Amino acid sequence: MLEERETKEPAMNPFQKNESKETLFSPVSTEEVPPQPLSLPKKPPPKICGSNYPLSIAFIVVNEFCERFSYYGMKAVLTLYFLYFLHWNEDTSTSIYHAFSSLCYFTPILGAAIADSWLGKFKTIIYLSLVYVLGHVVKSLGALPILGGQMVHTVLSLVGLSLIALGTGGIKPCVAAFGGDQFEEKHAEERTRYFSVFYLSINAGSLISTFITPMLRGDVQCFGEDCYALAFGVPGLLMVIALVVFAMGSKIYRKPPPEGNIVSQVVKCIWFAISNRFNNRSGDIPKRQHWLDWAAEKYPKQLIMDVKALTRVLFLYIPLPMFWALLDQQGSRWTLQATRMNGNLGVFVLQPDQMQVLNPLLVLIFIPLFDLVIYRLVSKCGINFSSLRKMAVGMILASLAFAVAAAVELKINRMTPPQPGPQEIFLQVLNLADDEVKVTVLGDENNTLLEESLRSFQMPHYAQLHLKTKSQDFHFYLKYHNLSVYTKHSVEEKNWYSLILREDGKNISSMMVKDEENKTANGMTTVRFINTLHKEVNISLTTDIFLSVGEDYGVSAYITVQSGEYAAVHCRTEDKDFLLNMGLLDFGATYLFVITNNTSQDPQAWKMKDTPANKLSIAWQLPQYALVTAGEVMFSVTGLEFSYSQAPSSMKSVLQAAWLLTVAVGNIIVLVVAQFSGLVQWAEFILFSCLLLVVCLIFSIMGYYYVPIKPEDLQKPADKQILHTQGNVINLETKKTKL
């Protein structure tokens, strides 16, 4: 209706054609409007099965499903990719993960500006989807072990993630709105149902992808390790399908032209009001009722009234980022926690990054449960469960979820072997000789640090030794039969070492092997081999995992495999094939196998468990996921509903941009805490839990004093308001001329 009025005003006011372009108001006349020429009726768009649903929305819904599969599938394995492929530490992995998430929620502002001011929604979706696909291609190339070294992988990964963030964020504010544009105004009910189906497609894509892509990573081996290239490549393929499907509907889409960027208008209005108030701060100038009234010299009163309503809602947005800071850690800190838990649930084995599938699954369950059961029961009890109260309860539930996560973390720590600290090492001695050996470990000042007698192939254990400095030489005194052997080995703090004793004829010697700091990767089983044979051994652990162990006490690297029974592992030397019985490999444990010769039988493997298996079941994470998802349903769904009900219709896009910005700021909070807190993990969980409780208290106080706007106050006809303020319009134009 506003567009019609703007086209008719030149005919109503003959003096307006000589006004400057800065004049934004003109008196409203009651003269009759000349009849407009009739336009030919447009051909109605094709419908789905004779219903009122445009056929074009089918392409849009499928596009959204594939795009969300692409995004959430890639993101599900991202933290483990940083940790175990790029070999970053946990804090850096968490920080980059949340920096990427934050960027994905900053770029929607750019996408909305391009669509509203320049290209329109359709072309914006097409062009930025091409950028999106390119990002997936670069990201997948960065996950190929044969393509360059560590620096090349890092650069390709960061470039790919930046392009993906631009693509997914840029199309985020356009796709849903473009689907709404396909409906005629008389089909408002069908449009409402479309948005429900659209939201369902988002969660369906997220649910399926977060279950499948961890399987592509862990169950498929590429170049002898987890196949991250495939886990990133399949989501990239889904994004190509999303782009093709969306482009196929081009001829039947309704494509509204760009209408101008309302976000830019709001920002300019607020800035002009502030600067105008600052320039007119003299006591002689009368005060105005609201600080935004200082924009009246330049902007329409309707826009100012809408911005006033908007700023009241935006004020309530200030505490919201802390909630997102907790919610988005499901893909970072909670996934890292799952790597130290047992994923064997009996029926099937869950990968650590597959636990994220609980969130979209529980969202689909909780939304109807809360709407149809819980909220109705609360209403029947006579409790006024307003939107702001629901959001506050959602914050409390998320805070409780992190308290539960901290309790689980403490339980894991009690079951996990201690880690060497500063100026400490852990040392185990493996006696592979055919008789007992007495071992004495001496420090720099010949002080005895360790003394023990070890039988042949006795099960070893790690001993904690203290150093004088960060690195130190240890002297070893070995007594074997009538021989006494002195040897020296260097060690460095915070490391694990294995001293291997071997017999060479009648002599005995030793070699020091540095164990990996993080032996269990991705929560999987880790194995390595020592070959005592005089020939190289080639071992086929699975159909696609092979390794070679050198002759005469060669030591292999660590290899990650799936847990389970390995009763017959095929091995081969240059002249013989044989089978090794490795037995049960438990979830999360680290094993050492010593291949020994047996003259009467085939070579056999002596099995030792360096690191115990993960004892705590991954099912212990279920309560924290249930609590945080219930909090998300009460906070996110209710928050958007409340915000939309309190903002004018012209401010919906601004509100969406502001909502996404709170998510971006929340991820920045996690980034800062991960880099600078220096806390152990359980303490960091408690910190986030307490911070959200404090923010919830502040939000509750703000909500207590908030006076909701009635829907009829937001829906006053613009004509009525302009007629009511007609006398003031001329005064505003006069003031503009004086300025």
Side-chain angles (χ1 to χ4, degrees), residues 185-256:
E185 288 301 325
K186 60 183 178 181
H187 299 144
E189 183 178 350
E190 286 81 0
R191 181 167 54 195
T192 301
R193 291 175 182 170
Y194 152 74
F195 282 112
S196 299
V197 175
F198 186 85
Y199 187 75
L200 179 65
S201 70
I202 293 175
N203 283 276
S206 171
L207 177 68
I208 298 173
S209 64
T210 50
F211 186 78
I212 291 179
T213 50
M215 295 172 62
L216 298 175
R217 171 196 62 78
D219 295 348
V220 181
Q221 295 291 314
C222 299
F223 309 99
E225 55 187 36
D226 286 358
C227 198
Y228 288 101
L230 182 62
F232 291 139
V234 171
L237 178 62
L238 264 293
M239 189 58 219
V240 174
I241 296 174
L243 175 58
V244 171
V245 169
F246 183 77
M248 287 171 59
S250 175
K251 293 184 178 180
I252 60 174
Y253 290 141
R254 297 177 63 186
K255 304 173 185 176

Side-chain angles (χ1 to χ4, degrees), residues 132-435:
Y132 202 160
V133 170
L134 178 61
H136 272 295
V137 172
V138 175
K139 187 75 188 69
S140 300
L141 291 176
L144 289 173
I146 60 173
L147 189 65
Q150 178 78 11
M151 182 58 67
V152 174
H153 294 150
T154 302
V155 171
L156 288 176
S157 298
L158 295 179
V159 171
L161 288 175
S162 300
L163 293 174
I164 290 173
L166 177 60
T168 186
I171 68 176
K172 191 185 294 288
C174 301
V175 179
F178 186 69
D181 292 340
Q182 306 308 306
F183 291 86
E184 302 174 33
E185 288 301 325
K186 60 183 178 181
H187 299 144
E189 183 178 350
E190 286 81 0
R191 181 167 54 195
T192 301
R193 291 175 182 170
Y194 152 74
F195 282 112
S196 299
V197 175
F198 186 85
Y199 187 75
L200 179 65
S201 70
I202 293 175
N203 283 276
S206 171
L207 177 68
I208 298 173
S209 64
T210 50
F211 186 78
I212 291 179
T213 50
M215 295 172 62
L216 298 175
R217 171 196 62 78
D219 295 348
V220 181
Q221 295 291 314
C222 299
F223 309 99
E225 55 187 36
D226 286 358
C227 198
Y228 288 101
L230 182 62
F232 291 139
V234 171
L237 178 62
L238 264 293
M239 189 58 219
V240 174
I241 296 174
L243 175 58
V244 171
V245 169
F246 183 77
M248 287 171 59
S250 175
K251 293 184 178 180
I252 60 174
Y253 290 141
R254 297 177 63 186
K255 304 173 185 176
E259 298 178 354
N261 192 354
I262 187 65
V263 177
S264 174
Q265 295 181 36
V266 171
V267 172
K268 290 178 180 178
C269 178
I270 293 175
W271 176 252
F272 181 80
I274 295 173
S275 59
N276 194 26
R277 175 68 183 92
F278 181 79
N279 294 332
N280 295 277
R281 58 187 182 275
S282 172
D284 298 334
I285 300 177
K287 294 182 179 180
R288 302 190 182 182
Q289 186 176 5
H290 194 278
W291 62 273
L292 275 169
D293 291 334
W294 289 93
E297 282 81 358
K298 186 174 181 180
Y299 291 95
K301 187 170 183 179
Q302 180 62 47
L303 176 64
I304 295 174
M305 292 180 64
D306 288 351
V307 175
K308 285 180 183 180
L310 176 72
T311 53
R312 298 177 72 249
V313 179
L314 293 183
F315 179 70
L316 289 175
Y317 276 15
I318 295 175
L320 303 192
M322 184 53 67
F323 176 85
W324 302 115
L326 276 70
L327 183 69
D328 284 354
Q329 290 189 56
Q330 297 174 74
S332 56
R333 292 301 199 194
W334 285 14
T335 299
L336 294 175
Q337 184 186 69
T339 62
R340 295 181 288 122
M341 304 178 76
N342 192 329
N344 190 350
L345 300 179
V347 181
F348 54 87
V349 176
L350 270 182
Q351 301 291 342
D353 36 2
Q354 278 182 316
M355 281 299 290
Q356 299 173 62
V357 78
L358 283 175
N359 180 254
L361 178 62
L362 291 174
V363 164
L364 296 177
I365 296 173
F366 283 169
I367 286 181
L369 176 65
F370 276 76
D371 286 342
L372 302 177
V373 180
I374 296 178
Y375 291 156
R376 292 187 179 183
L377 289 176
V378 172
S379 178
K380 287 185 177 181
C381 293
I383 300 175
N384 180 19
F385 206 23
S386 65
S387 297
L388 294 179
R389 289 178 179 175
K390 292 177 185 176
M391 295 176 68
V393 172
M395 290 182 175
I396 294 173
L397 290 175
S399 177
L400 290 175
F402 267 68
V404 173
V408 172
E409 188 72 20
L410 286 171
K411 196 172 183 66
I412 294 173
N413 291 342
R414 285 197 294 268
M415 297 182 176
T416 304
Q419 299 295 316
Q423 297 185 7
E424 287 181 352
I425 67 163
F426 282 152
L427 174 70
Q428 69 173 356
V429 182
L430 278 67
N431 181 12
L432 305 184
D434 61 359
D435 205 349

